[in-house]
Amino acid sequence: NAAPRCSACPLLNECEGARCGTAADLPTRIKKTRRRIEERNVALILWDGDPSKVLLRKRGDVGLLAGMWEFPNAIGADVFSAVPEELTEQCEFLRELPPAKHLFSHIEWQMRGNLFLCRQPLSLSEEYRWVTFTELKENYPIPGAFQFYKAQLDGFLHKES
């Protein structure tokens, strides 16, 4: 943030800023655009028949976090918005989890977590998978945005044991 020292610079002869007298204005900083804020619900859905199993969803092949496994989540205010439609009748809302925030370069996710218990894990489309917490830790890397809720799940499962 100090004034340029053009006379000490080894690139003085090649520098267009020094030649034009604009070195003090360089580098030109690009204004950052504001992050878009998305309020998301994250669903931690445990299976009643084996509470060590949690539901994961695989993201699509395009876009943010493409192809990664995650906890079901959705934009919206409704607590059940992140629960797969075919499970809404089988899922019982247990409790709200602490909020979390994740920053991407252009989006800020303000997340609200909810814990559910699913009485009957119906067969779901192939984008969903029931996995044990051990499988989750060993075979399903979860994006950083969901690490807070992965830790919440870990704490919940260890408290129940």
Side-chain angles (χ1 to χ4, degrees), residues 116-133:
F116 295 90
L117 193 61
C118 183
R119 289 183 295 280
Q120 183 179 351
L122 303 172
S123 55
L124 297 165
S125 64
E126 60 186 44
E127 71 183 295
Y128 291 98
R129 188 166 296 164
W130 291 99
V131 300
T132 65
F133 192 69

Side-chain angles (χ1 to χ4, degrees), residues 6 42 46 74 76 106 113 119 127:
C6 294
V42 177
L46 304 176
H106 60 298
R119 289 183 295 280
E127 71 183 295

Side-chain angles (χ1 to χ4, degrees), residues 3 19 36 76 95 104 119 134 136 142 147 151:
R19 191 175 69 247
R36 181 178 79 238
R95 70 172 182 247
F104 296 96
R119 289 183 295 280
T134 302
L136 172 66
I142 299 294
Q147 289 302 316

Side-chain angles (χ1 to χ4, degrees), residues 35-98:
R35 283 188 187 105
R36 181 178 79 238
I37 295 176
E38 289 184 359
E39 294 185 8
R40 302 186 81 81
N41 276 309
V42 177
L44 296 183
I45 305 172
L46 304 176
W47 176 28
D48 191 16
D50 182 354
S52 73
K53 286 193 174 181
V54 64
L55 187 65
L56 294 182
R57 177 179 69 194
K58 188 171 186 178
R59 292 183 71 89
D61 293 331
V62 180
L64 193 62
L65 305 175
M68 297 187 81
W69 289 93
E70 65 183 0
F71 299 115
N73 65 90
I75 296 173
D78 179 27
V79 168
F80 279 86
S81 63
V83 175
E85 190 175 326
E86 51 270 57
L87 291 183
T88 53
E89 295 295 318
Q90 285 74 34
C91 282
E92 173 188 350
F93 173 77
L94 296 180
R95 70 172 182 247
E96 192 171 313
L97 300 170

